[in-house]
Amino acid sequence: PKTDIVFLKVHKSASSTVMNILFRFGEMHNLTFAFPTGGGNQLFYPRHFLAGFVQGFSPWSPQRFNILCHHMRFLQPEVQKVVSSSAVYFSILRNPVQLMESSFVYYKSTSAFSRAHSLEEFFRQPYHFYNPTNSDSHYAKNLMTFDFGFNPDGEVSAERVQLMLKAIEASFDLLLISEYFDESMVLLKEMLCWDLDSVVSFPLNIRDSSTKSPLSDTIVEKIKDWNRLDWEIYIYFNRTFWERIDRDIGRERMQQEVKALQERQAELARTCLQGTGSVAPKDIKDSSLQPLQHGNAKILGYNLKQGLDKNMEHTCRRLVTPELQYSSILFKKQF
């Protein structure tokens, strides 16, 4: 199994669920994490990543960490200072239309979104709300492009897009697609030589559907245009994702693998969870399992069954521990 891993945690793309998978694997195999100094939950985002942001890193005696997975703005030469040269790099993408809809609710308090009552209103005159010089403007335009380290306000020429895609491809071994999460986990498991249980997960940091709004075709087209760089990244790597499945696994075996993964997840849900799945924040009984509530989003969580034996309780609890709590548990363990 591969143990040296860089995960670029792209915002609002099922990345908290992936992070939980990495946390559990790292904890189980006693691996070291590249934590933000002081144990925060972001590596001084939105600044470009620097090795000095990592707790315990020193340029004089560079220590290599096994897993780098907290929010950062990617800058590979600096990342290479804190992980081994054999580390596997991967990230996850999401359709920019859904990404923007999600960001609008989740990052409601940012400068670009706070005054707009709806995406419709925002897109009637985007530059009335959006100012590229504001320090939080990246949440409102080409957010994936920004997280990968590029300029979200750059011109969209064919040449520039090509350079960006080639740069991402050169840096990353695998790009997952959040709309095909189970297929993504099968690809990840294959690439990392992990077993099935290592990539099983329950969806974390997801919104209650009451805060989701359907988008008109007109708005969908406006979102694609506005996030043209993100759209180019998504379209390109969605294609290579399926090419890779066809090349390395084949559709038939992929279906079998996905089925096995879903069955295992269902089995764990029956074992671990009260009720059938996620619950509204007000219904979470154990305060240590309460996810951070952000913007206008209602973030769901879980209740564990009572009376589980000690090992099973630990397994189940780790599957549903929200990112901030889990990160701080691991930080305390490591330091």
Side-chain angles (χ1 to χ4, degrees), residues 161-179:
V161 166
Q162 275 310 305
L163 285 171
M164 185 173 70
L165 296 175
K166 289 280 166 277
I168 294 172
E169 212 160 28
S171 300
F172 288 85
D173 300 291
L174 178 62
L175 284 143
L176 306 174
I177 303 289
S178 64
E179 283 78 12

Side-chain angles (χ1 to χ4, degrees), residues 112-163:
F113 292 152
S114 59
R115 291 174 300 120
H117 292 104
S118 63
L119 277 171
E120 280 75 12
E121 187 183 343
F122 178 84
F123 279 113
R124 272 200 286 279
Q125 42 185 140
Y127 284 102
H128 172 69
F129 300 106
Y130 175 80
N131 177 352
T133 60
N134 287 348
S135 62
D136 60 0
S137 67
H138 57 279
Y139 288 117
K141 189 175 190 187
N142 289 316
L143 180 50
M144 295 193 289
T145 302
F146 182 88
D147 286 354
F148 276 98
F150 303 100
N151 175 9
D153 289 290
E155 53 145 359
V156 189
S157 65
E159 188 187 9
R160 195 166 170 277
V161 166
Q162 275 310 305
L163 285 171

Side-chain angles (χ1 to χ4, degrees), residues 6-10 88-94 144 148 164-178 180 183-185 187-188 191 233-234 236-245:
V6 174
F7 171 53
L8 178 63
K9 185 175 189 286
V10 170
V88 175
Y89 287 69
F90 78 100
S91 186
I92 188 164
L93 305 172
R94 183 182 185 185
M144 295 193 289
F148 276 98
M164 185 173 70
L165 296 175
K166 289 280 166 277
I168 294 172
E169 212 160 28
S171 300
F172 288 85
D173 300 291
L174 178 62
L175 284 143
L176 306 174
I177 303 289
S178 64
Y180 303 105
E183 290 84 352
S184 292
M185 291 306 101
L187 274 184
L188 186 64
M191 181 179 72
I233 291 174
Y234 181 75
Y236 181 80
F237 288 108
N238 187 22
R239 197 184 74 231
T240 60
F241 176 84
W242 290 101
E243 284 169 0
R244 183 166 182 149
I245 288 174

Side-chain angles (χ1 to χ4, degrees), residues 154-312:
E155 53 145 359
V156 189
S157 65
E159 188 187 9
R160 195 166 170 277
V161 166
Q162 275 310 305
L163 285 171
M164 185 173 70
L165 296 175
K166 289 280 166 277
I168 294 172
E169 212 160 28
S171 300
F172 288 85
D173 300 291
L174 178 62
L175 284 143
L176 306 174
I177 303 289
S178 64
E179 283 78 12
Y180 303 105
F181 192 80
D182 292 339
E183 290 84 352
S184 292
M185 291 306 101
V186 172
L187 274 184
L188 186 64
K189 168 175 86 77
E190 296 281 304
M191 181 179 72
L192 298 176
C193 306
W194 288 9
D195 62 8
L196 181 69
D197 268 16
S198 298
V199 296
V200 165
S201 63
F202 295 150
L204 294 175
N205 205 22
I206 52 168
R207 269 192 301 158
D208 183 3
S209 55
S210 69
T211 61
K212 296 179 185 174
S213 46
L215 302 169
S216 68
D217 292 351
T218 317
I219 289 295
V220 166
E221 288 312 312
K222 283 181 175 171
I223 293 176
K224 284 185 198 172
D225 266 353
W226 179 252
N227 296 288
R228 179 55 58 187
L229 294 170
D230 272 11
W231 185 250
E232 296 286 351
I233 291 174
Y234 181 75
I235 289 301
Y236 181 80
F237 288 108
N238 187 22
R239 197 184 74 231
T240 60
F241 176 84
W242 290 101
E243 284 169 0
R244 183 166 182 149
I245 288 174
D246 290 336
R247 189 188 71 218
D248 297 352
I249 294 180
R251 300 282 170 117
E252 200 178 323
R253 191 178 134 223
M254 176 54 88
Q255 276 182 328
Q256 294 160 356
E257 294 270 354
V258 164
K259 188 165 173 271
L261 179 65
Q262 289 170 345
E263 282 169 359
R264 181 67 181 127
Q265 260 155 220
E267 186 188 338
L268 278 165
R270 285 192 298 272
T271 306
C272 294
L273 304 178
Q274 276 182 31
T276 49
S278 48
V279 297
K282 62 176 180 25
D283 298 323
I284 300 168
K285 300 187 182 82
D286 181 340
S287 60
S288 71
L289 298 178
Q290 180 72 252
L292 175 75
Q293 301 299 319
H294 206 289
N296 288 354
K298 267 210 319 232
I299 304 298
L300 304 175
Y302 296 92
N303 285 318
L304 290 180
K305 272 191 182 154
Q306 302 298 301
L308 296 166
D309 73 58
K310 201 167 153 227
N311 284 344
M312 202 64 219

Side-chain angles (χ1 to χ4, degrees), residues 301-326:
Y302 296 92
N303 285 318
L304 290 180
K305 272 191 182 154
Q306 302 298 301
L308 296 166
D309 73 58
K310 201 167 153 227
N311 284 344
M312 202 64 219
E313 209 271 346
H314 180 82
T315 299
C316 293
R317 179 170 288 277
R318 287 299 189 247
L319 275 162
V320 300
T321 299
E323 169 186 331
L324 301 189
Q325 288 93 312
Y326 206 157

